[in-house]
Amino acid sequence: MAEATAAVSPLRRRMIDDMSLRNLSPATQRSYLHAVAKFSRYFGRSPDRLGLEDVRTFQVYLVSQGISWPALNQTVCALRFFYGVTLDRAEIPERIVYARTPRKLPAILSADEVVRFLEAVPLLKARTALTTAYAAGLRASEAVSLKVADIDSDRMVIQVRHGKGAKDRTVMLSPQLLGILRTYWRLARPEDWLFPGRGDKPIDVQVLHAACRSATKAAGLVKRVSVHTLRHSFATHLLESGTDIRIIQVLLGHNNLSTTARYTHVATSTIARTQSPLDRLTLEVVPPA
């Protein structure tokens, strides 16, 4: 399983085939292979010769190294897949525990902050891609993977292909975004990929991440802004404007409504419009003498 080896070992090949058969995304496959290879290197042995206690020791080591909770749980997913599917040892995966991830509310930009942020992006391609991400609630990977043909101006929708979980979905095409995209197209003339990168590939997501960091600083924002912050802001702003949460769920491509429901915790205007039970009472503030 060692990545430094030029030839692919039979065990690694079997895991790759198992992941391909289950249609795991290329990014997930790379992540799983990296995690299992790191597990193997830590003990200096092939992972099929390691057991549950070794997994626990490895998890303790990762925590001691300050690994983030999402990254730790990604490793758990990889090892569960490796033992449960590739090694067919069904008794092990359920005993590999996930970390309980602290529930944090996402950072949300106000409408004015969105404008300040986007106007602080100096490059046309990056600004247009980030504007599209906000306007349609896209993940970074979804924004960079858009093709010119995915913009359906007749039906005023955008086709998002191979989103998270390899699922396609349809989102709205804002009239203002359509105008921005048409201006961008006249200037940049993209042919296949809407936001082309080098060669025949789309722009790298790292370009958008770097643009976010520089724009955050240039706009003087104290919040940490990423592409996902724009997606969070999209959902929250829709909720605050009265859009049904089930529609937002579909637009975001969430499987579970509970995932979308967390935006109710940060939709401040919705909270402000909610009547307190105190308002239904007649209460004298000053006690009688």
Side-chain angles (χ1 to χ4, degrees):
M1 297 290 292
E3 291 182 323
T5 305
V8 177
S9 71
L11 184 60
R12 184 184 180 95
R13 170 48 57 191
R14 181 176 178 82
M15 184 174 177
I16 292 172
D17 290 344
D18 287 336
M19 292 188 293
S20 298
L21 284 171
R22 286 154 183 81
N23 199 29
L24 300 189
S25 71
T28 299
Q29 292 191 35
R30 288 192 298 270
S31 174
Y32 280 16
L33 289 171
H34 175 76
V36 175
K38 187 175 180 179
F39 175 56
S40 176
R41 286 197 304 270
Y42 179 73
F43 290 99
R45 284 186 288 168
S46 178
D48 59 342
R49 296 171 55 196
L50 299 170
L52 185 61
E53 192 59 33
D54 298 311
V55 172
R56 183 181 183 280
T57 300
F58 184 58
Q59 286 179 288
V60 171
Y61 163 73
L62 292 177
V63 171
S64 72
Q65 296 299 301
I67 189 173
S68 68
W69 298 119
L72 179 60
N73 282 335
Q74 184 80 343
T75 299
V76 170
C77 290
L79 293 176
R80 280 180 164 226
F81 184 94
F82 174 70
Y83 280 102
V85 178
T86 302
L87 296 186
D88 195 22
R89 296 173 63 179
E91 77 282 0
I92 289 184
E94 64 182 17
R95 298 175 65 187
I96 303 177
V97 298
Y98 287 102
R100 185 175 179 180
T101 307
R103 296 286 293 180
K104 294 183 178 179
L105 294 178
I108 303 298
L109 300 180
S110 68
D112 288 342
E113 287 174 329
V114 171
V115 173
R116 284 168 52 197
F117 172 80
L118 292 174
E119 289 185 345
V121 182
L123 299 179
L124 174 66
K125 187 186 299 183
R127 180 186 289 194
T128 307
L130 291 171
T131 301
T132 304
Y134 169 72
L138 305 182
R139 300 175 178 92
S141 59
E142 295 168 345
V144 300
S145 298
L146 287 175
K147 293 191 172 184
V148 174
D150 293 331
I151 309 301
D152 188 343
S153 59
D154 291 333
R155 296 169 57 222
M156 291 304 288
V157 295
I158 300 173
Q159 300 297 332
V160 181
R161 307 186 189 279
H162 305 296
K164 189 173 182 179
K167 295 182 299 183
D168 295 350
R169 71 181 189 278
T170 302
V171 298
M172 74 286 231
L173 172 59
S174 153
Q176 185 173 180
L177 176 64
L178 178 59
I180 291 170
L181 290 175
R182 281 175 170 165
T183 299
Y184 162 74
W185 187 86
R186 286 196 300 270
L187 294 171
R189 293 286 176 175
E191 296 181 357
D192 183 21
W193 298 108
L194 184 59
F195 306 113
R198 295 182 178 180
D200 59 351
K201 295 182 179 180
I203 188 174
D204 194 287
V205 292
Q206 295 303 323
V207 175
L208 297 191
H209 294 324
C212 284
R213 290 192 294 270
S214 60
T216 301
K217 186 176 181 180
L221 298 174
V222 295
K223 298 173 183 175
R224 185 176 179 181
V225 183
S226 65
V227 183
H228 226 63
T229 306
L230 297 175
R231 177 172 157 89
H232 291 321
S233 301
F234 162 86
T236 304
H237 295 167
L238 281 181
L239 189 63
E240 291 182 337
S241 66
T243 304
D244 189 292
I245 194 169
R246 288 165 294 187
I247 295 175
I248 299 174
Q249 177 190 2
V250 173
L251 292 172
L252 293 177
H254 286 162
N255 286 327
N256 300 314
L257 185 61
S258 60
T259 305
T260 316
R262 67 175 175 161
Y263 294 110
T264 61
H265 298 295
V266 290
T268 53
S269 66
T270 303
I271 292 172
R273 289 196 302 267
T274 304
Q275 186 183 46
S276 166
L278 178 65
D279 295 330
R280 295 193 290 268
L281 305 179
T282 301
L283 180 66
E284 292 291 339
V285 176
V286 181

